[in-house]
Each structure stands twice: as structure tokens, then as C-alpha cells.
């Protein structure tokens, strides 16, 4: 059997590419259903893009790499596509756009586009024995007990990263890269909760509050959440992409810098009240209880000098913690790192050293912030590849 293009991986990037690529296109996936991560994303409503999508929201060894594809297929292009299918959406926060009804609408849209483009989607199919030859490539497709040898001009790898192996994530893209001597950067789980020794935050599990979380060069003002095993919530997940093993992270749980004035005001009006009781009207009670020993909080408000109140507030704004790890690929939303961008054309996603071989989506060393950026990269890189094919 002979086709023009084989796309491996029917996720966000692969489906986008198949929906727009010319010629005879076959897209295969070993999963039972296509676009499973799209379906479960954003709590079932898919945060499909971000209004403020720009290159600074992406991590990569080459911060310029993503610019070309993102500029040639923007968030507004995807919004236009979504609108053309009558899919209703809303901005939740920080430019994050979600479906009003269901992420399934996005999967259905992508599949309809594939059907209109005559791209064949073949599921429960794995690929082995990829070989390069004069006219392009050949590979064996395995569907159940049926094996088919296939020849094709172009090979697009859209198998994503390693996050959530339970959903079918594999290191397939890195294996193909290895086969063709294409470098892969260090990879690790990102957008992932932190863990701490001895589950020290278990008493606080479920407590959420606005915060500023800093790790390395990353600093994020959003909600954070204490969990049984450590820290999570948007600000923490964002910071995890900038964290390396052994690094300290800093929590500022008074990011608006209002606590000092509020405590001074309370000292005026309710000086005879207990410091911890009054602090618990400004911060979650369980957190104040937890911090009572740690910060030696005691006495009435009237007993606290300005210097002492400042010391407490500064401690809450500069709470330094060293995670002992992360929850890993089991729960990470993305894989940081991937196919080295130096080996790819930023315009087409084709390997510079291996003509006809393309990598798109999360497999590439381009990782977005939380908030619709990773899907926008999947759409944009899938489209860049499709246009070049
Ligand atoms: C729980 C969760 C929620 C998320 N929510 C959001 C969100 O709201 N907004 C956002 O922007 N991003 C979100 N993300 C990230 C986003 O899902 C990914 O960045 C995006 O799906 C990457 O697209 P992709 O096409 O590169 O890979 P994927 O969508 O992961 O697709 C890869 C496909 O390849 C298939 N595959 C893998 N290995 C093989 C193999 N060996 N053979 C055949 N097929 C294979 C897989 O089955 C899969 O269908 C979320 C991720 C998770 C895990």
C-alpha cells in the first residue's frame, strides 16, 4: 500500500495536521479513541487556546523557535475555526478560552475536518519497523492480528510526550529520534504538583489561597492548593516547569501585600484579641493553626510591635520550601523538553537532516504555560507541518 503521508498519533497536533495536509493522508493511533487528552482537558471543557498567546509563554532551549509557527497560525485563527463550527466558548480567567459545553465538541470538529480532507483515521494501530528508502519511508502497521507494510513520502511524528502513561502516552517520538540520530533534550514532567518529605502538608490538604510562587526564573500569581502529598494549584503547576531537583521554591501567601496594614488596623480596633484568631480572619484558619508553631505566633494583637508584625508578614511573603520531587509523569500535564529544536525547521517542523520526517506538538522541545498554550502549540505546529507537506 502506498500513501503520501503517515501521521503517527491522533492527538491534538496529529489531528490538526491530518485535517489540513494535502494528498493521501493516513493517521494512526494505538489508542481506542482519537484525541483523548483533548476530551479530558480543562475538566472536560478543553482550555483550547489563550487570548494572550505569545512566545514568552513557552519554554524551550531556543526561545525563538516557536515564534514562526505561532505567528502563522494564531489563537484567533483557532477561535475562528471553533466559531465556524458554532462551538460556544467563554474566557474563564487570564485569557484562557474554554468550551461552554464539552471538549468533545473540539474532538468532533477535528474529526469532521479530517473526514472532509479525506484523511483516514485508523485506531488501535501501532507502527513498527520504520525504514527510510529512496522515495521516502516504509513501516509496518499492526492492527490486531493484521500487519500491513506501507510506503509513504512523509512521516509525521505526533505522539506527544510521556505524561499520563495510563492514557497511552509513550516515548515513541524519542525512540524515532534516536533511530534517525536526532538529538533530544533532557525531558521531565512539568505542570505537575510538588511532593514534600513526610507528607508535611497533609494537615492542610484542601486549603487553597491566592499566592505568588517562584521557582528559578518562573514566578506566577494564581491560586495554590495544599494536598495530602504536597502542593498543587495553578501557581504551583506553572512554577514546576521552572523547577529542577534540589531547588528551593518561594511561596508568597500575601501577594497583594495587604496583610501588614490589615493587622495594624485590627490592632487598633481589636487589640485585646488573640493574634492567631485575628490572623485566621485574613488567612485560612487551618493554615494559621499550622503556622502557629512554625512562626511562634502567640499573644494578643496589642502585644505585637510593628517590627514583629512586619517579621510575620515577611515570613509569609518569603516562605522557602524544598520539594523532594514531583508527582511525576503519572499526573504531569506535559513533558518539558523533547526533540531538539535546532534539528527542526521552525517554519515546517521538518528535520533538517532527515528530509520528509516531521515532529509536531508536545514531542518537540516547546512547552507552554498552563492556560491553553500547549494546545495552541499543538494546533500551530500541526498547521505549520500541514502547510509544508
Ligand atoms: C489532564 C490534562 C489536561 C490538560 N489540559 C490542557 C488544557 O486545558 N489546555 C492545554 O492547552 N493543554 C492541556 N493539556 C496538555 C495537552 O493535552 C497536550 O499538550 C496536548 O494534547 C499535546 O498534543 P499532542 O498532539 O502533541 O499529543 P497528544 O494529544 O498527547 O496525542 C498523542 C497521541 O499519540 C498517541 N500515541 C502515543 N504513543 C503512540 C505510539 N507508540 N503509537 C501510536 N500512537 C501513539 C496517543 O495515544 C495520543 O493519541 C492537558 C494535559 C493533560 C494530561
Amino acid at each position: 500500500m502506498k500513501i503520501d503521508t503517515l501521521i503517527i498519533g491522533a492527538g491534538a497536533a496529529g489531528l490538526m495536521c491530518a485535517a489540513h495536509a494535502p494528498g493521501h493522508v493516513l493517521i494512526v493511533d494505538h489508542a481506542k479513541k482519537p484525541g483523548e487528552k483533548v476530551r479530558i482537558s480543562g475538566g472536560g471543557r478543553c482550555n483550547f487556546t489563550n487570548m494572550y498567546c505569545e512566545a514568552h509563554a513557552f519554554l524551550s532551549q531556543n526561545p525563538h523557535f516557536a515564534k514562526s509557527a505561532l505567528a502563522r497560525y494564531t489563537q484567533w485563527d483557532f477561535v475562528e475555526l471553533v466559531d465556524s463550527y458554532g462551538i460556544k466558548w467563554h474566557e474563564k480567567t487570564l485569557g484562557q478560552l474554554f468550551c461552554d459545553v464539552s471538549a468533545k465538541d473540539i474532538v468532533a470538529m477535528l474529526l469532521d475536518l479530517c473526514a472532509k480532507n479525506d484523511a483516514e483515521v485508523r485506531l488501535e494501530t501501532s507502527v513498527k519497523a520504520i525504514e527510510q528508502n529512496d522515495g521516502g519511508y516504509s513501516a509496518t502497521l499492526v492492527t490486531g492480528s493484521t500487519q500491513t507494510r506501507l510506503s509513504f513520502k512523509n512521516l509525521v511524528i505526533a505522539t506527544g510526550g510521556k505524561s499520563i502513561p495510563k492514557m497511552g502516552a509513550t516515548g515513541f517520538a524519542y525512540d524515532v529520534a534516536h533511530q534517525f540520530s536526532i538529538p533530544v533534550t533532557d525531558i521531565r514532567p512539568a505542570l505537575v504538583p510538588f511532593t514534600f518529605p513526610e507528607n508535611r502538608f497533609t494537615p492542610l490538604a484542601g486549603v487553597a489561597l491566592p499566592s505568588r510562587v517562584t521557582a528559578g526564573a518562573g514566578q506566577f500569581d494564581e491560586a495554590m492548593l495544599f494536598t495530602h502529598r504536597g502542593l498543587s494549584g495553578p501557581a504551583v503547576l506553572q512554577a514546576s516547569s521552572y523547577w529542577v531537583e534540589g531547588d528551593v521554591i518561594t511561596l508568597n501567601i500575601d501577594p497583594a501585600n495587604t496583610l501588614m496594614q490589615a493587622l495594624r488596623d485590627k490592632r487598633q480596633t481589636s487589640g485585646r484579641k488573640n493574634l492567631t484568631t485575628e490572623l485566621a480572619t485574613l488567612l485560612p484558619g487551618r493554615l494559621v493553626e499550622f503556622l502557629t508553631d512554625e512562626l511562634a505566633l502567640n499573644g494578643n494583637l496589642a502585644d505585637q510591635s510593628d517590627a514583629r508584625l512586619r517579621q510575620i508578614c515577611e515570613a509569609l511573603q518569603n516562605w522557602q520550601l524544598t520539594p523532594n520531587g514531583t508527582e511525576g509523569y503519572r499526573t504531569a500535564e506535559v513533558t518539558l523538553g523533547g526533540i531538539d529544536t535546532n534539528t527542526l525547521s521552525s517554519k515546517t517542523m521538518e528535520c533538517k537532516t532527515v528530509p520528509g520526517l516531521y515532529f509536531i506538538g508536545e514531542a518537540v522541545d516547546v512547552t507552554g504555560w498552563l492556560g491553553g498554550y500547549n494546545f495552541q502549540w499543538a494546533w500551530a505546529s500541526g498547521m505549520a507541518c500541514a502547510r509544508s507537506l
Side-chain angles (χ1 to χ4, degrees):
M1 189 180 162
K2 229 177 153 136
I3 57 165
D4 295 305
T5 301
L6 175 68
I7 303 174
I8 309 179
L15 289 172
M16 190 68 179
C17 185
H20 296 93
H24 189 173
V25 176
L26 172 64
I27 176 166
V28 300
D29 200 297
H30 64 177
K32 281 197 177 115
K33 289 183 184 167
E36 276 295 85
K37 274 195 190 164
V38 178
R39 185 183 62 79
I40 64 146
S41 67
R45 294 261 168 96
C46 186
N47 176 195
F48 55 79
T49 194
N50 192 295
M51 283 161 63
Y52 309 117
C53 189
E54 279 186 38
H56 73 261
F58 294 85
L59 289 85
S60 171
Q61 277 189 3
N62 175 359
H64 303 294
F65 180 82
K67 287 181 181 169
S68 167
L70 292 172
R72 285 183 307 120
Y73 191 82
T74 70
Q75 58 272 41
W76 305 116
D77 291 321
F78 195 76
V79 166
E80 199 179 314
L81 182 61
V82 166
D83 284 344
S84 73
Y85 270 78
I87 298 170
K88 298 275 177 266
W89 51 269
H90 61 278
E91 181 194 358
K92 203 167 171 188
T93 175
L94 302 169
Q96 301 168 6
L97 304 188
F98 284 76
C99 297
D100 280 1
V101 180
S102 170
K104 287 182 193 163
D105 293 341
I106 301 287
V107 180
M109 176 188 82
L110 293 168
L111 290 175
D112 185 64
L113 287 165
C114 285
K116 284 186 179 138
N117 195 35
D118 283 332
E120 184 191 341
V121 184
R122 204 178 291 176
L123 300 169
E124 296 183 271
T125 297
S126 54
V127 181
K128 58 180 196 181
I130 298 171
E131 279 168 19
Q132 194 178 16
N133 50 42
D134 282 350
Y137 299 85
S138 59
T140 302
L141 305 192
V142 184
T143 314
S145 54
T146 312
Q147 297 208 359
T148 321
R149 192 77 191 157
L150 192 69
S151 296
F152 41 95
K153 276 203 301 253
N154 307 299
L155 174 59
V156 181
I157 308 297
T159 48
K162 281 188 162 181
S163 31
I164 325 239
K166 244 185 170 172
M167 294 192 66
T170 65
F172 185 83
Y174 318 126
D175 297 340
V176 174
H178 181 71
Q179 181 185 341
F180 290 97
S181 303
I182 291 161
V184 178
T185 69
D186 285 346
I187 57 163
R188 58 188 165 83
L191 299 181
V192 64
F194 287 125
T195 57
F196 287 85
E198 292 153 16
N199 295 341
R200 65 178 284 203
F201 293 119
T202 299
L204 294 178
V207 171
L209 73 167
S211 64
R212 178 173 302 148
V213 182
T214 309
Q219 183 170 88
F220 296 91
D221 278 37
E222 271 179 86
M224 63 161 282
L225 170 74
F226 291 93
T227 68
H228 284 284
R229 287 163 50 84
L231 299 177
S232 187
V236 169
L237 298 180
Q238 297 277 36
S240 73
S241 299
Y242 293 82
W243 181 79
V244 276
E245 202 95 2
D247 273 6
V248 170
I249 63 165
T250 307
L251 307 187
N252 174 350
I253 55 175
D254 174 29
N257 200 22
T258 53
L259 205 56
M260 178 71 189
Q261 194 53 50
L263 287 171
R264 288 180 77 182
D265 292 348
K266 279 181 179 289
R267 191 177 54 187
Q268 286 287 96
T269 54
S270 339
R272 293 168 73 176
K273 289 205 174 145
N274 200 281
L275 167 65
T276 50
T277 313
E278 287 308 292
L279 204 49
T281 64
L282 302 166
L283 291 170
R286 267 198 286 154
L287 179 59
V288 175
E289 212 176 299
F290 181 88
L291 291 168
T292 299
D293 284 345
E294 206 142 328
L295 299 180
L297 304 174
N298 54 45
N300 292 340
L301 262 178
D303 303 334
Q304 320 293 326
S305 65
D306 268 2
R308 173 60 181 146
L309 289 183
R310 196 166 298 115
Q311 187 189 32
I312 295 168
C313 293
E314 280 173 7
L316 297 176
Q317 289 184 315
N318 189 24
W319 190 3
Q320 306 225 338
L321 295 164
T322 308
N324 68 349
T326 71
E327 293 283 2
Y329 288 118
R330 189 178 60 82
T331 63
E333 273 200 19
V334 286
T335 301
L336 188 86
I339 308 303
D340 191 330
T341 55
N342 286 322
T343 66
L344 302 178
S345 153
S346 61
K347 211 171 159 204
T348 65
M349 306 295 135
E350 187 177 15
C351 292
K352 291 174 186 164
T353 50
V354 191
L357 176 61
Y358 298 75
F359 289 89
I360 57 175
E362 197 181 313
V364 179
D365 171 30
V366 173
T367 308
W369 286 350
L370 189 83
Y373 298 97
N374 284 297
F375 279 139
Q376 187 56 39
W377 170 246
W379 318 135
S381 59
M383 201 61 175
C385 173
R387 281 172 174 158
S388 124
L389 281 169

